[in-house]
Structures are given as C-alpha cells and as structure tokens.
Amino acid sequence: MRLFLVCTLAMMSSFSLFAGVQQAGSGASGDQQRHQQLVNTAANFEEMLAKAKQGDAQGQLWVGNAYRDGAGVGRDYHEAAKWYDVAANQKVPEAELALGFLYEQGLGVSKDYRRAFDYFHAAALQGEPTAENNLASMYQQGKGVNRDLDEASRWYRAAAKAGHAVAQCNLGSMYYRGEGVAPDHNEAARWFRASAEEGMPEAQNILAVLYYKGDGLSVDYGEAAEWARRAAEQGYAPAQADLAYMFEQGKGVPLDYVAAYSWYSVAASAGERHSLGRLKSLSRVMLAEQMREAKARAVAWQAQHGKPAEVKENPGAMSFLPEK
C-alpha cells in the first residue's frame, strides 16, 4: 500500500470569484438571459468604477474583482492589482488577500513572495480565514519568510477554527506528521473529518484511507467506501481509483468488477497513475459483456460530470492502492 504525506499543503487562495454573471439556461431563452446579464454586469461595472474613482473602498475591491475575473470588462490582472492596491491602502482585508495572491502567482505584478506574505499577514491580522491559511502555508514552505512550523500550525488553527476547509485539512496534515505540533493521528482525523464534512474532496479521500487502514480511526470499510465515493463523485481522481479498488476487492461495497472497471476508467482518463495497470488486471477476469457495460458507464459518467481534472503528482496524496 502506498502512503505519502497527507494533504494539499498550499492551497494558496480560495477566495470567492466575482459572481455577477450566473449560469443561465440553454436555448434561445438562455441566450437572452445571458445577454441581459452581460448588459447588466457592464452597467454595474461602470457604476462601481465611478464609485471606485471617488474613493469608495468596496467599489475599488469590486472593480479589482471584475478585472481579475473578466466580468463586465476584459480580464486584466495589472488593472486588478492597481485597484486592489488602493483598496488595500484602506485596509480592506479581501483586497489585501487578493493582492497577496497576485504577488504569489505573479499575475499582473512581478512575482514577489515577500510582498505576498506581507499582504496575507495584513489580511490575516484582520481575521480573514483564507489569508490565515495562506500565511500559514508560506510559513510552512518558507516562502517570503523564514520557515516556521510553529507559526504555520498557529495560523492554520486560526483559519480551521473559523471553518476554513483547506486550513482544516492542512492542520490535520500537520498533526498527522507532527509538524509544529506533537504527532497525533486521532487529532489529525478530527480535522480531516471537519474538512471532509465541508466537502473538500482531498480530505474526504484521506478520511477514507484512515478508515481503511485503521489509522487514527477504527477500521470501517463501509465508511471508507462512503467517503471515497463522495470525493469520487466530485471528480477527484485518486478517490475514484480508491473506490474502484474497493469494488474490485469487495471491501465496504459488494464485489463488482463492472463498477471497479468503470471507476478505474474515469480515473485513468485524468492520468491517475495506478488505474491503467488495474484495468489491465481486471480485463483478464471480466467477460466481454461486462467490459462493454463498464466502459459505457464511464462514458456516461463523464458525459454528465465532465472529464476529471488532470492529476498532478502530489506529495500529499494518500491512498490504499497497492503500488503494483
């Protein structure tokens, strides 16, 4: 079984994107709705731009978001940074967070971890949870500041207590490995569960692995399958592979090669590195009719949900799949 580090360590920003244009229906009426929303958004942009120019801090933040997201105006990170900067000068924490993210990513400004750290710190001091999480990440990685795991755990905890799902997962990771805190797999499981219940797929799959292995939790294959399923349904490819393995082994779910092959197929389409090998093994024991049904299920799932995001090698991933 493979077991790496445990969680995404640096979800550097999860602040809400501008939501002025909501998804409209399909067909002619949907097109009309989308057109009207675009007209309304453009009008709102002009109105908010006028307020921003008059020094209204929330207007400045709004305009920055609009330029960042290309809502009502062409996407322009340089302009976004300009408006975030004037709002940040008025101590708007959301603007400080957004500007920190632009400096961390090098969007519209030169990449500068120290300035990113300073803006995250300013927003964190005002209690902005995502900024607290991002500040902790920079302490953990030593970006823009000397590496300090005690400070990292302190800021992760502040954000986690505020209900920030990424920070909860990251704090669980620190407890799991004993970074900045004494190692405690029971406490790690508690924070992973909090994050999982907020819907974070990485945490959901971690919880599945902990249940499967009896690590910080009592062994419970049914719970492992349920949490892997929740993450898999969100398109998280490692969880899709884990759920497939449970169907292949009949642990926590009925033995079902068709379901296993279907989930491996979906995971493989995203580049999950173990799934192709598992598909080859299953193909040796399945009937042709079962293979056709499994492939049809995978195609249907992808048609409904879209192709899963491509899997990137993540040193924080956890799984109970065997290496071979």
Side-chain angles (χ1 to χ4, degrees), residues 129 132-133 135-137 149-164 166-172 174-175 179-182 184 187-188 190-191:
E132 293 171 338
N133 174 76
L135 184 67
S137 175
L149 296 179
D150 290 339
E151 281 295 291
S153 64
R154 182 171 78 87
W155 286 107
Y156 278 141
R157 187 182 307 280
K161 286 184 175 180
H164 194 281
V166 176
Q168 291 167 340
C169 189
N170 286 332
L171 183 60
M174 298 201 79
Y175 271 111
E179 287 192 347
V181 292
D184 187 333
E187 187 70 3
R190 183 172 80 87
W191 286 110

Side-chain angles (χ1 to χ4, degrees), residues 194-251:
S195 180
E197 289 176 347
E198 291 292 326
M200 187 172 178
E202 294 88 344
Q204 291 171 339
N205 200 52
I206 289 169
L207 200 58
V209 174
L210 298 185
Y211 270 119
Y212 188 94
K213 293 175 62 65
D215 189 354
L217 296 165
S218 299
V219 172
D220 189 325
Y221 294 138
E223 283 291 305
E226 172 59 20
W227 286 107
R229 181 194 63 77
R230 293 191 193 189
E233 290 289 355
Q234 292 194 65
Y236 186 56
Q240 292 167 343
D242 283 341
L243 182 60
Y245 185 72
M246 299 197 77
F247 276 115
E248 182 185 354
Q249 300 297 312
K251 286 188 173 181

Side-chain angles (χ1 to χ4, degrees), residues 18-45:
F18 173 75
V21 181
Q22 298 181 1
Q23 184 176 359
S26 60
S29 61
D31 290 340
Q32 292 171 357
Q33 290 177 31
R34 282 190 292 272
H35 174 72
Q36 189 59 50
Q37 287 172 337
L38 290 170
V39 170
N40 292 342
T41 303
N44 288 341
F45 177 81

